[in-house]
Amino acid sequence: MWQDVKALNATANGIFALVLLACIAAGVWWVAQRPEFNLRTIRIESIGHDELQHVNHLTLRNNALGRIKGNFFTTNLDAVRQAFESVPWVRRATVRREWPDQLIVALEEHEALGTWGADGRLLSTKGDVFTANLAEAEEDHELPAFDGPEGSEKEVLSRYAELRGWFAPLKLVPEALSLSSRYAWTVTLNNGMSVALGREQTSTTLKERVDRLMGIYP
């Protein structure tokens, strides 16, 4: 081998390339650890045009900011996103870096429509069930009560919107709507009347029953 000049040159070139790569990696690591790149600012923005109503600095500091590790280069953006999405009232978070020492966090809040089930959870206007301070939600508006099997949230939300329209001519508003485990519907109206609408046999079953009720209601 020692007489093989080509093999010796190839070996030397390989060793040189490995040493060079190691030096570059060490240099990049050293630069990335410099205090100049410590995170100094985390800017919170709202997704959309509306200001954040329920998420405040104290809530973020207690639930998310303390979980952010690393600097501008080394912080895990996915972990940061998950930390912010664990904050009450936060529906969705997006995170990006801004040179040289900032993170920009955009948050979308849940908008509570009513309560869900008997355990104090809330149903959002987009059909998401989430946990937050019930008293805060009640400050925004009165909360209708919803309930149903797991996975039926969006179906219940859609049916609620239909029922509001169906009962509007009588100036009645649904205050509670439940879907039983047998998929039977019961709606409670703002005059205290509870209406058992039963199960849907066709796509028009509930509408026909509401129309029948409206016909005899006066």
Side-chain angles (χ1 to χ4, degrees):
M1 173 183 176
W2 300 109
Q3 288 79 30
D4 191 337
V5 176
K6 288 185 178 180
L8 288 173
N9 286 339
T11 302
N13 289 338
I15 294 173
F16 176 77
L18 289 175
V19 172
L20 181 61
L21 288 174
C23 290
I24 292 173
V28 169
W29 182 88
W30 181 83
V31 170
Q33 301 303 315
R34 301 299 298 160
E36 291 85 356
F37 301 111
N38 289 341
L39 291 173
R40 289 179 171 80
T41 304
I42 299 176
R43 194 168 81 223
I44 307 299
E45 299 177 347
S46 172
I47 294 177
H49 302 293
D50 297 331
E51 293 185 1
L52 298 173
Q53 300 296 316
H54 297 286
V55 178
N56 55 50
H57 177 75
L58 179 62
T59 305
L60 294 175
R61 185 179 65 188
N62 291 340
N63 291 274
L65 297 181
R67 296 166 58 184
I68 298 175
K69 309 297 182 184
N71 62 17
F72 180 83
F73 292 106
T74 62
T75 190
N76 185 319
L77 295 188
D78 190 56
V80 174
R81 176 188 59 77
Q82 292 179 30
F84 278 94
E85 288 183 347
S86 70
V87 174
W89 288 102
V90 173
R91 179 176 186 265
R92 180 167 63 96
T94 63
V95 185
R96 72 179 190 275
R97 295 180 174 91
E98 187 166 290
W99 180 264
D101 56 7
Q102 273 196 96
L103 289 183
I104 310 299
V105 182
L107 303 178
E108 179 186 355
E109 279 188 322
H110 287 290
E111 182 181 350
L113 176 64
T115 61
W116 180 266
D119 56 0
R121 291 181 297 167
L122 294 164
L123 180 69
S124 79
T125 56
K126 295 187 176 180
D128 300 318
V129 173
F130 65 102
T131 301
N133 190 321
L134 184 60
E136 289 184 42
E138 290 173 334
E139 290 176 359
D140 296 336
H141 56 79
E142 292 187 10
L143 301 174
F146 301 100
D147 198 8
E150 183 178 354
S152 67
E153 297 87 357
K154 288 181 170 56
E155 182 181 359
V156 172
L157 178 65
S158 175
R159 183 65 69 212
Y160 173 73
E162 292 178 334
L163 287 167
R164 281 181 63 92
W166 295 345
F167 282 106
L170 295 178
K171 300 188 182 336
L172 296 175
V173 179
E175 288 189 338
L177 178 63
S178 66
L179 180 62
S180 73
S181 59
R182 297 180 62 252
Y183 281 80
W185 293 94
T186 302
V187 59
T188 302
L189 302 171
N190 61 334
N191 65 351
M193 181 170 62
S194 179
V195 183
L197 294 171
R199 301 177 67 179
E200 294 184 71
Q201 293 156 352
T202 69
S203 60
T204 62
T205 298
L206 298 190
K207 181 64 167 64
E208 291 168 355
R209 290 172 180 168
V210 171
D211 287 343
R212 198 176 310 139
L213 172 63
M214 291 176 64
I216 65 171
Y217 183 79

